[in-house]
């Protein structure tokens, strides 16, 4: 399935560390230009190692990484630096460094032997700053930034390095939801605008379904699941792969649901939105909601009224009390 | 720069014999009609001492900057990591154990002492560097340096215990640190060697800037890590080793000056810190030396005492106050 927009392909790639069993074996993956790919999998499965291997920093155990149809092992470090850039999880311990200076580090592969920047370098730094919307931060000291801001600055630094492949290790870890969405959106826009290929590792499956073009789901003892999120949901493969005892991935919504243990059965009638949240509440409290049951609750909202066996309640808590008594 | 010139003049003027300011300026500008005594004092004693202070200040501060940047450890420095102790070991082998390197190699005394000190430094630094590839913990690295320092000091002590009184005395004086005892011959060895060290470190400047993001980032930007390691090991071993060989161990200049430069210039940019540390190092060691002369008296205190007395409080206050230093160590 190699296409013209393909930039990296792996051939029977095994990753891992010397004198240890391989973390993942026989990976045949493809990264495409202009697309945001999300790498998912439990902790310790080898996501970081896979990213390091794709970046050429870590050598494959077996197999090959082909970058632009040439074995990555044949590139020099300096050549790779101009093609592939990284955003890692380690927080750089920098003091008295401004955002502009940090972004300018990305020009290392291009600057003179003593580190002098050319007008072109400054132009690329400027572009990276504009693309990541951090113009207002340019003179700030790096150690005064919030986590979300710092992540954008690190992405800008990677952009300034001006490669065709961007690899990010858990760029949304430790961020609040708003920042997570912002980073995902930024990366997606960057992939489209710059036609770079971007691969991120993440634990945010729901956001990845929502915001990325391609998923790689690594799991222990199973082939890596690869595909467009929507297609993987449609086929049921994704839900099957990621659902567990405690939670299931809803194939219709693409959202996780907690799997509650079965309890006494109840049926609910009434306005759909109200019925849905009453069902949610009752499931959480140990009941199972079915279409038809011995007991049926009726709900209306505005004003909130729930009737059960000729009793009327005006709040969810009272319903639970009555159910537990009876 | 102005400050540097002022401290140079100060350093030349201060000493047990009072030389009028006018005579110094006249001598420096090549005037021949000086008082012959003054000319001798300046030419034979003051000027070599000032040059030694300039070289040692520059070299030690730069070694400190290189080590702090490479290890990303604010407390790294030639003294703390045991590099100076390595030099001591080399010198001790020469002066105490009586290994006659000069006869071996046909080198002069000055060269052989420089060589043995540089080799001692190199040996210790290579072990530290090797260990640092396995240990990525700041505190562990420092502990390792201290352990190496202690071990080499113990070896030196053994040699001291078994050595003759006169060579013991010579070694003891050396270990106090002294900028004043250098001959022009020794300077002719020290200056070019430290110069080579400075040139080598200039080559590492850009790589060190990239290293400030950490080793993986550096590798991803194409920093040749192996080359960089060798550059750092070689340049700092040459500089710290040779300076220690001729001036004795001088504490706290290597660790303190780069911090002063960071505080003063408020930047982590190596292109500013490099010349900044060089200049500050020269100025500070010149001033320390002037203080050591105890102006207006006949006494001269060992330079190591002055740098330690001034440097120790500086490092302590840095540890207590600077949250960046604290966060880097945790």
């Amino acid at each position: 399935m190699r296409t013209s927009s393909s930039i990296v392909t792996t051939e029977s790639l095994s990753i891992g560390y010397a004198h240890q069993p391989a973390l993942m074996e026989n990976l045949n993956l493809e990264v495409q230009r202009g697309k945001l790919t999300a790498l998912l999998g439990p902790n310790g499965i080898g996501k970081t190692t896979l990213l390091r291997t794709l970046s050429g920093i870590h050598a494959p155990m077996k197999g090959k990484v082909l970058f632009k149809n040439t074995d990555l092992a044949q590139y020099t470090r300096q050549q790779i630096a101009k093609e592939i850039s990284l955003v890692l999880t380690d927080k750089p311990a920098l003091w008295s460094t401004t955002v502009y200076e940090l972004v300018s580090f990305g020009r290392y592969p291009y600057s003179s032997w003593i580190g002098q920047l050319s007008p072109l370098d400054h132009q690329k730094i400027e572009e990276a700053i504009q693309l990541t919307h951090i113009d207002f931060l340019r003179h700030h000291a790096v150690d005064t930034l919030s986590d979300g801001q710092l992540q954008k600055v690190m992405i800008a630094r990677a952009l300034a390095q001006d490669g065709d492949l961007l690899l990010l290790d858990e760029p949304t870890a430790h961020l609040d939801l708003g920042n997570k969405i912002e980073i995902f959106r930024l990366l997606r826009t960057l992939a489209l605008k710059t036609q770079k290929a971007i691969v991120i590792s993440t634990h945010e499956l729901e956001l990845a379904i929502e915001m990325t073009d391609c998923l790689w789901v690594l799991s222990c003892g199973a082939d890596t699941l690869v595909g467009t999120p929507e297609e993987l949901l449609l086929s049921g493969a994704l839900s099957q792969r990621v659902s567990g005892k405690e939670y299931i991935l809803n194939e219709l919504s693409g959202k996780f649901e907690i799997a509650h243990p079965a309890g006494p059965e109840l049926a609910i009638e009434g306005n759909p939105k109200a019925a849905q949240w009453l069902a949610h509440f009752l499931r959480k409290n140990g009941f199972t909601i079915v279409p038809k049951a011995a007991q049926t609750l009726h709900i209306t909202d505005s004003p909130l009224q729930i009737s059960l066996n000729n009793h009327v309640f005006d709040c969810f808590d009272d319903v639970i009390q009555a159910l537990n008594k009876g | 720069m102005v400050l540097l010139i002022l401290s140079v003049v100060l350093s030349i003027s201060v000493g047990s014999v009072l030389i009028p300011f006018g005579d110094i300026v006249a001598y420096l500008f090549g005037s021949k009609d000086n008082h012959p005594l003054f000319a001798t004092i300046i030419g034979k004693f003051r000027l070599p001492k000032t040059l030694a202070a300039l070289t040692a200040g520059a070299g030690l501060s730069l070694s400190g900057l290189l080590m702090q940047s490479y290890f990303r450890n604010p407390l790294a420095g030639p003294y703390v990591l045991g590099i100076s102790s390595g030099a001591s070991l080399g010198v001790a082998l020469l002066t105490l154990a009586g290994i006659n390197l000069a006869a071996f190699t046909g080198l002069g005394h000055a060269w052989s002492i420089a060589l043995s000190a540089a080799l001692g430094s190199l040996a210790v630094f290579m072990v530290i560097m090797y260990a640092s590839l396995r240990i990525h913990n700041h505190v562990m690295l420092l502990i390792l340096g201290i352990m190496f320092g202690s071990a080499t000091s113990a070896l030196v002590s053994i040699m001291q215990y078994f050595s003759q009184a006169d060579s013991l005395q010579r070694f003891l004086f050396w270990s106090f640190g002294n900028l004043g005892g250098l001959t022009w011959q020794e300077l002719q060895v020290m200056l070019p060697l430290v110069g080579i060290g400075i040139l080598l470190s200039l080559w590492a400047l850009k790589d060190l800037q990239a290293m400030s993001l950490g080793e993986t980032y550096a590798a991803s930007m194409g920093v040749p890590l192996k080359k960089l390691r060798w550059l750092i090991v070689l340049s700092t071993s040459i500089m710290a080793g040779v300076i220690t060989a001729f001036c004795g161990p001088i504490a706290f200049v290597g660790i303190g000056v780069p911090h002063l430069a960071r505080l003063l210039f408020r930047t982590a940019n190596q292109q500013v810190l490099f010349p900044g540390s060089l200049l500050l190092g020269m100025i500070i060691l010149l001033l320390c030396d002037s203080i050591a002369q105890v102006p207006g008296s006949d006494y001269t205190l060992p330079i190591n005492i002055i740098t330690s007395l001034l440097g120790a409080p500086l490092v302590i206050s840095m540890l207590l106050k600077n949250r960046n230093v604290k966060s880097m160590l945790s």
Side-chain angles (χ1 to χ4, degrees):
Chain A
M1 62 173 208
R2 195 175 297 172
T3 54
S4 58
S5 63
S6 151
I7 178 161
V8 178
T9 47
T10 67
E11 281 180 2
S12 335
L13 178 70
S14 293
I15 58 168
Y17 294 87
H19 315 300
Q20 283 171 31
L23 287 164
M24 298 296 298
E25 285 180 313
N26 200 25
L27 294 167
N28 294 291
L29 301 164
E30 185 196 28
V31 187
Q32 292 186 358
R33 280 178 196 279
K35 285 196 172 174
L36 177 59
T37 301
L39 169 58
L40 295 132
N43 286 328
I45 191 98
K47 295 191 295 293
T48 302
T49 312
L50 178 55
L51 289 180
R52 287 171 65 100
T53 312
L54 291 179
S55 75
I57 283 185
H58 193 76
M61 278 185 107
K62 261 189 233 149
K64 276 185 207 169
V65 177
L66 295 180
F67 186 83
K68 295 185 175 169
N69 296 322
T70 311
D71 190 349
L72 198 57
Q74 290 178 15
Y75 287 78
T76 65
R77 272 259 48 103
Q78 283 70 23
Q79 286 171 321
I80 294 177
K82 292 183 181 179
E83 299 278 10
I84 303 173
S85 44
L86 287 179
V87 175
L88 305 165
T89 46
D90 18 344
K91 217 175 162 181
L94 293 164
W95 68 116
S96 314
T97 303
T98 66
V99 166
Y100 192 89
E101 281 177 323
L102 179 51
V103 176
S104 78
F105 287 0
R107 298 306 291 171
Y108 173 92
Y110 306 91
S111 61
S112 72
W113 70 277
I114 200 150
Q116 214 72 42
L117 298 171
S118 69
L120 176 70
D121 291 326
H122 284 292
Q123 187 196 322
K124 292 283 182 186
I125 296 165
E126 204 53 51
E127 275 174 32
I129 286 177
Q130 299 305 332
L131 280 168
T132 47
H133 317 295
I134 53 169
D135 204 7
F136 68 106
L137 292 172
R138 67 166 64 221
H139 299 302
H140 288 227
V142 172
D143 48 1
T144 62
L145 301 180
S146 73
D147 286 350
Q149 289 171 335
L150 181 65
Q151 198 56 264
K152 282 193 222 163
V153 174
M154 294 313 283
I155 292 172
R157 187 214 61 83
L159 282 175
Q161 209 176 321
D162 206 25
D164 283 339
L165 175 62
L166 221 69
L167 303 168
L168 302 94
D169 196 4
E170 297 198 29
T172 61
H174 312 302
L175 299 186
D176 58 42
L177 185 61
N179 273 310
K180 276 181 185 164
I181 294 172
E182 217 182 314
I183 295 288
F184 266 99
R185 176 161 292 142
L186 171 67
L187 291 173
R188 172 117 217 225
T189 322
L190 283 176
L192 279 172
K193 249 194 210 166
T194 61
Q195 284 300 300
K196 292 180 195 300
I198 304 182
V199 181
I200 64 171
S201 69
T202 178
H203 288 291
E204 309 289 337
L205 178 62
E206 291 179 10
L207 275 175
I209 289 171
E210 214 49 61
M211 313 283 279
T212 66
D213 304 294
C214 179
L215 297 182
W216 295 348
V217 187
L218 304 182
S219 23
C220 254
D223 282 345
T224 301
L225 199 61
V226 175
T228 312
E230 290 76 7
E231 284 178 12
L232 291 176
L233 276 163
L234 186 57
S235 72
L238 186 60
S239 172
Q240 200 190 352
R241 178 62 67 88
V242 300
S243 298
K245 242 190 201 156
E246 304 283 325
Y247 51 88
I248 50 165
L249 182 68
N250 186 316
E251 290 178 17
L252 284 177
S253 64
K255 304 278 179 252
F256 276 113
E257 284 169 6
I258 308 293
H260 294 287
E265 293 186 347
L266 290 172
I268 299 172
E269 285 175 1
N271 139 326
K273 183 176 168 193
Q276 191 225 310
W277 286 115
L278 180 60
H280 189 273
F281 179 75
L282 290 171
R283 270 198 294 267
K284 193 156 71 183
N285 284 287
F287 293 90
T288 301
I289 310 303
V290 288
K292 271 203 160 65
Q295 276 188 312
T296 303
L297 294 113
H298 294 267
I299 183 164
T300 57
D301 57 345
S302 59
L304 181 65
Q305 278 193 336
I306 305 141
S307 56
L308 169 69
N309 303 335
N310 302 323
H311 294 284
V312 178
F313 308 97
D314 59 1
C315 78
F316 284 4
D317 272 339
D318 291 349
V319 180
I320 285 295
Q321 274 185 11
L323 282 167
N324 285 341
K325 265 183 207 158
Chain B
M1 211 58 209
V2 178
L3 209 56
L4 179 67
I5 294 166
L6 282 179
S7 8
V8 168
V9 174
L10 178 69
S11 152
I12 296 176
S13 6
V14 182
S16 51
V17 177
L18 194 73
I19 302 176
F21 182 72
D23 287 270
I24 293 167
V25 176
Y27 179 86
L28 287 180
F29 284 97
S31 160
K32 292 275 175 282
D33 44 287
N34 264 307
H35 192 297
L37 177 66
F38 288 167
T40 317
I41 291 179
I42 296 177
K44 271 222 167 125
F45 301 104
R46 301 280 172 86
L47 207 54
K49 187 193 68 181
T50 303
L51 278 175
L54 285 172
T55 322
L60 288 175
S61 323
L62 201 53
S63 324
L65 178 68
L66 293 178
M67 293 166 102
Q68 287 174 10
S69 309
Y70 177 79
F71 290 116
R72 299 201 299 145
N73 190 328
L75 292 184
Y79 205 76
V80 181
L81 288 189
I83 314 301
S84 302
S85 311
S88 303
L89 183 63
V91 172
L93 279 171
L94 208 70
T95 53
L96 296 179
I99 294 174
N100 199 338
L101 198 67
F104 255 174
T105 53
L107 290 169
H109 178 69
W111 279 101
S112 48
I113 212 164
L115 188 67
S116 60
L119 284 178
S121 299
L122 192 69
V124 172
F125 202 176
M126 270 164 67
V127 179
I128 297 264
M129 189 58 104
Y130 181 74
S132 79
L133 296 180
R134 270 131 227 280
I135 301 168
H136 292 282
N137 182 311
H138 288 315
V139 180
M140 289 277 277
L141 187 74
L142 294 176
I143 294 174
L144 205 73
I146 293 166
M147 291 302 122
F148 268 106
S150 310
T152 39
S153 308
L155 289 177
V156 172
S157 297
I158 295 176
M159 285 187 264
Q160 279 178 313
Y161 189 77
F162 287 108
S163 62
Q164 303 291 324
D166 61 328
S167 57
L168 186 64
Q169 197 188 24
R170 246 189 305 146
F171 185 78
L172 203 64
F173 272 120
W174 171 84
S175 70
F176 281 147
N178 183 11
L179 294 167
L182 272 78
T183 61
W184 279 105
Q185 252 176 340
E186 287 171 322
L187 273 173
Q188 274 171 10
V189 175
M190 181 161 109
L191 277 173
L193 280 178
V194 173
I196 289 172
I198 293 176
L199 284 181
L200 279 178
S201 41
L202 202 59
W203 198 12
L205 201 59
K206 181 183 164 185
D207 294 348
L208 283 178
Q209 189 76 69
M211 273 299 283
S212 62
L213 284 175
E215 207 160 285
T216 315
Y217 271 120
S220 84
M221 291 191 273
V223 174
L225 290 172
K226 260 192 197 149
K227 185 196 103 184
L228 179 61
R229 262 175 223 132
W230 277 110
L231 265 181
I232 300 284
V233 169
L234 274 179
S235 59
T236 51
S237 297
I238 292 176
M239 288 191 289
V242 170
I243 291 166
T244 310
F246 291 121
C247 308
I250 300 174
F252 291 104
V253 174
I255 175 174
V257 170
H259 283 290
L260 283 180
R262 283 189 201 104
L263 280 177
L264 214 61
F265 300 107
R266 303 207 161 277
T267 179
N269 188 339
Q270 299 282 344
Q271 290 182 13
V272 178
L273 289 181
F274 188 95
S277 298
L278 273 183
L279 273 182
L280 265 181
M282 293 188 203
I283 292 169
I284 282 170
L285 203 53
L286 280 173
L287 291 178
C288 283
D289 182 57
S290 301
I291 296 172
Q293 300 301 323
V294 199
S297 80
D298 283 346
Y299 293 107
T300 304
L301 292 173
I303 186 76
N304 201 7
I305 293 178
I306 306 295
T307 54
S308 299
L309 278 178
L310 295 177
L314 174 81
V315 172
I316 292 171
S317 77
M318 212 166 65
L319 278 175
L320 294 178
K321 275 191 192 149
N322 194 325
R323 79 190 156 86
N324 289 316
V325 172
K326 276 195 271 184
S327 71
M328 273 179 90
L329 280 176
S330 57

